[in-house]
Amino acid sequence: MASLKKHLAKAGINGFFFLLLLTILLAYLFPEWGQSSGRVSLDDLTYYGVSIIFFFYGVKISPATLKVGLSNWRLHLWIQSTTFLVFPSLIFTCYVFFGDADSLFWLGTFYLAVLPSTVSSSVVMVSIAGGNLPAAIFNASISSLLGIFITPLWMDLFLSASETDFALWDTVGQLVLQIFLPVGVGFLLHRYLGAWVQRRGRQLKYFDQTVILLIVFSAFSQSFGQNMFAGQNVLGLGFWMLLLFLVMLGVMYGVGKWLGFNRPDRITVLFCGSKKSLVQAAVMGKVLFPDPVVFGVVLLPIMLYHTLQLIIGSALAERLGAEKAAI
């Protein structure tokens, strides 16, 4: 039990996980706190906070890791194809046959589908399960960068299908300025700041978490303030998110075997291909969905999916790790 608790904490089910829940509760109880007011609003704080987060993310990216990772191209190609092609195509097909053009939950579900893979929890779970750790680090890093460009393209396609206006190139420009440029500058400074950032990992993690909590609070408080969740079947949405995650796990497992990957690579596909990033959802969503009332509802599917991928993924990683130890 102590070992499971330790690994769950590493994967993200820790104080921050419960702070997310508390943040949503506070947004529900005190929605007026999230209104922009004063000289410096929450939007201002989170805008610059996001750029700082991605600057230090760029600093952490090691050129040596990226160079080594390029050799296993079949594995990387499948994981990125799953993240940005298979996942969105599945949800888009479901939307065409069953979707409601006026449902923000459908919009949020498709947004979930086109997000990049998460970084920290994927790497941790691959490590616990005995997967290919260098490949996990490589794919998580590349996925985050590709998402800056691919996610808006998919959202443009989806919103066009639902007859909603979407300023694609303005959005991409804002993401490049706010996210990609800081990452690039940070990457160029890896040689000089990499060691310092590694030493300050705990403090930077707390900074990242604070910015994400502020984004979530701002979005949910304004959605609650406008009564956007009234009459919505949140429990039903949670069931569909559970089904979606299990389906993606099954697809990742089956295709990994079909392509003949060895056990460590199959584990890497399983976790990196089925996960989506709450951090990227929060930071890109502020640009993609400038109306905070809408943004709060759109965030709900990824919040539920994030919770499920942590709980189920951690248990699965423990099981796979135990199987490896028994071999």
Side-chain angles (χ1 to χ4, degrees):
M1 180 62 70
S3 175
L4 177 59
K5 182 178 179 181
K6 178 181 177 182
H7 288 316
L8 288 175
K10 286 183 178 180
I13 305 179
N14 50 19
F16 178 65
F17 176 77
F18 294 106
L19 280 174
L20 274 173
L21 300 182
L22 178 61
T23 297
I24 296 174
L25 177 62
L26 288 174
Y28 174 74
L29 296 174
F30 307 103
E32 67 277 4
W33 290 1
Q35 304 299 318
S36 298
S37 61
R39 290 186 176 181
V40 181
S41 67
L42 281 180
D43 285 341
D44 294 330
L45 290 174
T46 54
Y47 178 89
Y48 295 108
V50 165
S51 294
I52 294 172
I53 286 175
F54 278 89
F55 168 76
F56 285 117
Y57 174 72
V59 174
K60 293 176 186 177
I61 298 176
S62 168
T65 300
L66 295 181
K67 184 177 180 180
V68 170
L70 290 173
S71 59
N72 199 351
W73 64 269
R74 287 181 67 246
L75 175 64
H76 307 322
L77 181 62
W78 169 244
I79 291 176
Q80 300 307 318
S81 297
T82 300
T83 300
F84 294 115
L85 293 177
V86 176
F87 217 128
S89 298
L90 173 64
I91 299 302
F92 191 75
T93 301
C94 292
Y95 170 76
V96 169
F97 287 100
F98 310 109
D100 178 0
D102 297 323
S103 173
L104 291 179
F105 281 171
W106 267 107
L107 177 60
T109 302
F110 187 76
Y111 180 49
L112 151 71
V114 300
L115 287 168
S117 179
T118 186
V119 177
S120 57
S121 64
S122 290
V123 172
V124 169
M125 290 181 192
V126 167
S127 176
I128 293 171
N132 187 334
L133 190 57
I137 295 172
F138 176 87
N139 276 283
S141 301
I142 292 299
S143 180
S144 295
L145 297 178
L146 290 176
I148 297 172
F149 303 98
I150 297 178
T151 299
L153 289 172
W154 267 114
M155 292 310 301
D156 179 56
L157 174 63
F158 181 83
L159 292 172
S160 296
S162 61
E163 299 181 352
T164 303
D165 292 332
F166 182 69
L168 173 62
W169 297 114
D170 288 346
T171 300
V172 171
Q174 290 181 59
L175 291 173
V176 169
L177 183 63
Q178 189 179 5
I179 298 177
F180 189 77
L181 184 60
V183 169
V185 173
F187 179 72
L188 292 175
L189 294 176
H190 170 83
R191 179 179 179 183
Y192 306 100
L193 297 178
W196 183 87
V197 166
Q198 290 296 328
R199 292 195 301 270
R200 298 293 186 275
R202 181 182 294 270
Q203 293 90 333
L204 291 174
K205 182 183 73 171
Y206 291 150
F207 175 80
D208 295 355
Q209 292 175 347
T210 300
V211 173
I212 300 306
L213 290 174
L214 288 174
I215 292 173
V216 169
F217 178 77
S218 176
F220 273 83
S221 62
Q222 298 197 51
S223 294
F224 282 127
Q226 296 294 324
N227 219 19
M228 291 293 289
F229 294 103
Q232 302 288 353
N233 187 359
V234 177
L235 185 61
L237 178 65
F239 170 78
W240 288 114
M241 291 302 100
L242 172 61
L243 181 61
L244 175 61
F245 183 59
L246 294 177
V247 166
M248 291 309 299
L249 282 177
V251 170
M252 295 304 97
Y253 177 79
V255 175
K257 291 192 67 174
W258 178 63
L259 291 175
F261 291 140
N262 58 32
R263 186 178 188 277
D265 284 354
R266 290 201 306 271
I267 289 173
T268 304
V269 168
L270 187 67
F271 288 106
C272 291
S274 62
K275 290 181 173 297
K276 292 293 181 175
S277 173
L278 175 61
V279 174
Q280 290 277 17
V283 298
M284 287 200 293
K286 282 183 64 63
V287 177
L288 295 169
F289 309 102
D291 184 346
V293 177
V294 172
F295 183 34
V297 182
V298 169
L299 266 183
L300 190 59
I302 181 59
M303 294 282 290
L304 295 171
Y305 192 90
H306 174 78
T307 302
L308 292 167
Q309 72 183 14
L310 287 177
I311 296 172
I312 299 174
S314 297
L316 182 59
E318 282 287 339
R319 179 175 178 178
L320 291 171
E323 288 178 357
K324 180 185 177 183
I327 296 175

